[in-house]
Each structure stands twice: as structure tokens, then as C-alpha cells.
């Protein structure tokens, strides 16, 4: 194995200017990630200078077998924490050969929202709290749980320390550092309420970059759990019963909200979100009805509510925002398996562009 590790860690810069670019895209389920690598003649940091590429869409449930070619358009570049050196990760979106976005390409419509002059002027900031659960590979049961059984009740695990409270911290810390290395604006991590569940936060990110960074952070986490032999799930309610689900709470502000008098702007934005509650819920992740029950720090899926410091509301406003009269709010409805392109652009569209 040591010889294999030596080869994996070869420094290409010692012998060649060529680099490896790992092209990443969202697969046919809308939550799975796919990737493949290609050799480039030298270092590249600008996605516009990267070549387009194709893949077999019939093998990812994104095209029929008789017309299976799908084209990858490079959109964002990050440093590769696995190969290191000048090697890169490339977040792409997918198009037909005629240049039409395929149905699972949610980035295309999001980019249109974020390029709208009114949205650009408001500089929307996002901070996304991505929760996830780690499972034992062979039995698909949470890490740290006895096989076929249950641990002690929730309470000691949130931000817990100790071998009987925090499980797979090595994976979590590896992911944290790998994201920082890659250039993702990861801002923190913590153990969550259910044992075997963790969270990382990305942001503040502006506009479309919020979606790009969450997807690449998810990709890096998938690769690390692959190495560790652990299964990663973004299921919003992986275990039935008296256990917390997994969400992707989305913190949001605009330039007007961050300015003096911004609390009034925040309240008007929240009012708009309430008017479009059903539309947002329908786009906030599959299986979210199993999570948004009105229990376990959630609001009921059928009822919109908001409050200051209320983690049982659909939208929470922080005490600091109320005190300062400006700041941000947190949309607590998105599920952990949400598409960040959809959620971020929909919040911007509703709060900035939509006229009720």
C-alpha cells in the first residue's frame, strides 16, 4: 500500500507542465454527483479557458441511448485537494449538443436570476448550513449506532466531545481542511443533534457562487467518505421516530437588508416568502414532509411562520438582527438534499423580483 500511496502522491510538477482536471456535474437524480478526469497542457484558473467535454447521458439517466451525448460546460474552478499541485476540480453544468440546458441543469435558470440587474444591485449573500448523516457501509445504519439498535436519546451529541458522542470526526475535519484548500468559503463545522449527523457551513457566498460551492463541498465530502469506507446520505429524515432530521438552513441577506433600516426590508421579504410558501416547499427537497413535522426544531410543512430566535419557525430572525435593525434571516425549510441553485435563486427571485 505504501508504494500505491507514493504513486497517488506523485508531484506532476517535477516532470511535466500538464495538469489533471476533474470535471464534476449533477447526475440524473438531481442529488447524485458524477465526475471524470482529463489531462490539460498547463495550469488553468479561468473556467472560460477550459474546453467543453461530453459524457454518456444514457448512463446517468440524463439522455436516451439513441442520442446519449451530453455536453459539460465548465463554470467554476477550485484547487484539487486530492491530487494537489496545479490540478483542479471543475464544477460544470450540462447541455444538449444543440446548447439547450438538460432538465437536471438547475444552474442555468439560477444564473439568469442572479444576472438580473435588480438582483445584481442587491448583492445577495448566502450562508448555507449543510447537514448530513454518515452510515455504516454494509448495513446503512448511522455511524456510532449499534447494528439493529439505537443509541441513547438525543441530548449529549450536539457539538459533543468524546468517543461515545462524536463519531467520525476525522472525516469531518478532513473535509473542513480540504474545502479550505480548494478555495471554498467553508465557515465552520459542528456535530448535530442526532448521533452520526454533522453539519458544515458555507458562506457568505454571493449569488450563483453559493450553489457552486455547496455542490463542490458535497463532492469533496463524497470523495472523503469513499476513501474512509463510509456511506454519506443527505436524506432529510434518515431515521424514523424521535430523531432530528437533516436540513440545509439557508441564511440570506441583501444590500438593503444589511443597511440601516434593513429590518423593515427583511420583514417585507419574509411576508413575500409566506405568500409563496407552497411554491418554495415544492422546490426545497424530496422527502421534506418527513422532516417538517412541527417537531425536532422544525415548523409544520403546511404552515408558514416566522419569529425572532425561534427555531421552530419556518423563518428565523436572529436577536442581533432585531437589535441592530439590520442584518439577515434564516430560511429553515430547505431539506439537506435540496438543490442549492434552486433554493438560492428562488429566494432571490421571490424577495427581490416578485411583485405580489
Amino acid at each position: 500500500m505504501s508504494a500505491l500511496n507514493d504513486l497517488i502522491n506523485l508531484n506532476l510538477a517535477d516532470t511535466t507542465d500538464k495538469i489533471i482536471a476533474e470535471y464534476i456535474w449533477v447526475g440524473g437524480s438531481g442529488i447524485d454527483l458524477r465526475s471524470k478526469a482529463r489531462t490539460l497542457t498547463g495550469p488553468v484558473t479561468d473556467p472560460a479557458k477550459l474546453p467543453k467535454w461530453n459524457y454518456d447521458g444514457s448512463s446517468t439517466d440524463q439522455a436516451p441511448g439513441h442520442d446519449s451525448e451530453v455536453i459539460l460546460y465548465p463554470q467554476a474552478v477550485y484547487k484539487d485537494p486530492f491530487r494537489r499541485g496545479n490540478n483542479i476540480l471543475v464544477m460544470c453544468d450540462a447541455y444538449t449538443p444543440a446548447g439547450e440546458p438538460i432538465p437536471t441543469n438547475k444552474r442555468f435558470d439560477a444564473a439568469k436570476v442572479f444576472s438580473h440587474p435588480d438582483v445584481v444591485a442587491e448583492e445577495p449573500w448566502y450562508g448555507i448550513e449543510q447537514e448530513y448523516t454518515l452510515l455504516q457501509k454494509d448495513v446503512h445504519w448511522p455511524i456510532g449506532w449499534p447494528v439493529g439498535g439505537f443509541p441513547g436519546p438525543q441530548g449529549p451529541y450536539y457539538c459533543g466531545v468524546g468517543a461515545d458522542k462524536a463519531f467520525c470526526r476525522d472525516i469531518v475535519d478532513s473535509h473542513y481542511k480540504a474545502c479550505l484548500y480548494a478555495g471554498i468559503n467553508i465557515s465552520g463545522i459542528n456535530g448535530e443533534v442526532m448521533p452520526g449527523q454533522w453539519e458544515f457551513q458555507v458562506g457568505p457566498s454571493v449569488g450563483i457562487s453559493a450553489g457552486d460551492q455547496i455542490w463542490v463541498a458535497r463532492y469533496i465530502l463524497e470523495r472523503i467518505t469513499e476513501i474512509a469506507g463510509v456511506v454519506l446520505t443527505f436524506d432529510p429524515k434518515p431515521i424514523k421516530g424521535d430523531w432530528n432530521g437533516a436540513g440545509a438552513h439557508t441564511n440570506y441577506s441583501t444590500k438593503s437588508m444589511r443597511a440601516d433600516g434593513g429590518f423593515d426590508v427583511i420583514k417585507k421579504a419574509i411576508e413575500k416568502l409566506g405568500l409563496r410558501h407552497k411554491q418554495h416547499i415544492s422546490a426545497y427537497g424530496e422527502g421534506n414532509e418527513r422532516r417538517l413535522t412541527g417537531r425536532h426544531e422544525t415548523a409544520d410543512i403546511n404552515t408558514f411562520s416566522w419569529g425572532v430566535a425561534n427555531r421552530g419557525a419556518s423563518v428565523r430572525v436572529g436577536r442581533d438582527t432585531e437589535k441592530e435593525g439590520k442584518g439577515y434571516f434564516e430560511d429553515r425549510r430547505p431539506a439537506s438534499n435540496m438543490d442549492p441553485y434552486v433554493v438560492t435563486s428562488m429566494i432571490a427571485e421571490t424577495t427581490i423580483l416578485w411583485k405580489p
Side-chain angles (χ1 to χ4, degrees):
M1 289 300 292
S2 61
L4 184 59
N5 285 331
D6 287 345
L7 289 171
I8 289 172
N9 294 320
L10 277 175
N11 184 358
L12 298 180
D14 290 342
T15 59
T16 181
D17 291 332
K18 293 179 180 179
I19 69 160
I20 301 172
E22 190 79 27
Y23 279 43
I24 304 164
W25 71 96
V26 180
S29 72
I31 186 64
D32 65 308
L33 284 161
R34 309 289 179 124
S35 75
K36 62 176 185 171
R38 66 181 300 165
T39 304
L40 302 177
T41 56
V44 181
T45 57
D46 182 357
K49 295 181 180 179
L50 288 167
K52 296 174 184 176
W53 204 8
N54 67 77
Y55 69 92
D56 171 17
S58 69
S59 295
T60 62
D61 199 26
Q62 291 174 299
H66 67 274
D67 187 15
S68 64
E69 192 166 287
V70 180
I71 312 301
L72 294 172
Y73 288 31
Q75 299 292 358
V77 174
Y78 301 89
K79 293 174 67 178
D80 186 339
F82 303 102
R83 297 187 177 105
R84 306 182 191 178
N86 291 320
N87 303 300
I88 55 176
L89 303 177
V90 183
M91 189 65 209
C92 305
D93 57 356
Y95 296 79
T96 68
E100 296 295 322
I102 66 172
T104 50
N105 179 357
K106 305 304 182 183
R107 191 185 193 280
F108 180 80
D109 285 338
K112 288 196 292 186
V113 171
F114 286 121
S115 64
H116 190 287
D118 293 350
V119 176
V120 172
E122 283 290 351
E123 296 177 17
W125 290 5
Y126 297 89
I128 298 176
E129 305 170 32
Q130 176 67 70
E131 294 179 340
Y132 60 93
T133 308
L134 300 174
L135 306 177
Q136 301 169 55
K137 183 179 178 181
D138 295 330
V139 294
H140 281 229
W141 196 241
I143 287 286
W145 293 37
V147 175
F150 297 88
Q154 296 182 153
Y157 309 107
Y158 172 71
C159 298
V161 179
D164 58 343
K165 305 177 191 72
F167 309 109
C168 287
R169 191 185 293 275
D170 53 348
I171 290 175
V172 176
D173 277 348
S174 296
H175 176 250
Y176 196 173
K177 290 184 176 181
C179 285
L180 287 171
Y181 178 93
I184 292 167
N185 194 28
I186 187 170
S187 47
I189 53 120
N190 60 267
E192 267 303 328
V193 177
M194 189 184 86
Q197 188 183 85
W198 292 83
E199 173 185 299
F200 66 88
Q201 304 94 33
V202 172
S205 307
V206 180
I208 196 71
S209 70
D212 291 336
Q213 292 192 44
I214 283 289
W215 275 120
V216 176
R218 286 175 174 177
Y219 173 82
I220 292 171
L221 184 56
E222 287 271 21
R223 287 283 304 276
I224 291 171
T225 54
E226 172 190 318
I227 293 166
V230 170
V231 173
L232 169 67
T233 179
F234 292 109
D235 190 297
K237 187 73 173 180
I239 303 296
K240 295 178 181 178
D242 195 18
W243 303 98
N244 274 37
H249 302 156
T250 301
N251 298 277
Y252 170 73
S253 71
T254 63
K255 192 173 183 179
S256 298
M257 294 176 192
R258 297 187 294 268
D260 290 341
F263 195 31
D264 287 335
V265 181
I266 288 172
K267 287 188 283 187
K268 290 176 182 176
I270 293 173
E271 182 181 353
K272 284 185 172 184
L273 289 174
L275 293 173
R276 300 189 78 191
H277 177 62
K278 288 185 178 179
Q279 293 95 317
H280 279 254
I281 287 294
S282 68
Y284 273 16
E286 293 294 326
N288 212 9
E289 72 283 351
R290 293 183 282 117
R291 167 180 163 262
L292 296 181
T293 61
R295 300 181 63 212
H296 305 112
E297 301 180 79
T298 70
D300 183 87
I301 194 168
N302 296 308
T303 306
F304 181 84
S305 60
W306 76 276
V308 176
N310 184 357
R311 282 179 164 77
S314 308
V315 171
R316 181 185 68 88
V317 175
R319 290 284 182 201
D320 287 346
T321 294
E322 180 188 44
K323 181 179 178 181
E324 296 175 11
K326 59 184 177 182
Y328 69 96
F329 65 81
E330 174 193 39
D331 191 338
R332 297 178 58 81
R333 297 171 295 172
S336 50
N337 60 0
M338 62 83 162
D339 188 318
Y341 294 134
V342 173
V343 169
T344 57
S345 62
M346 195 172 195
I347 292 173
E349 183 180 30
T350 294
T351 60
I352 299 172
L353 300 180
W354 184 57
K355 309 298 181 186

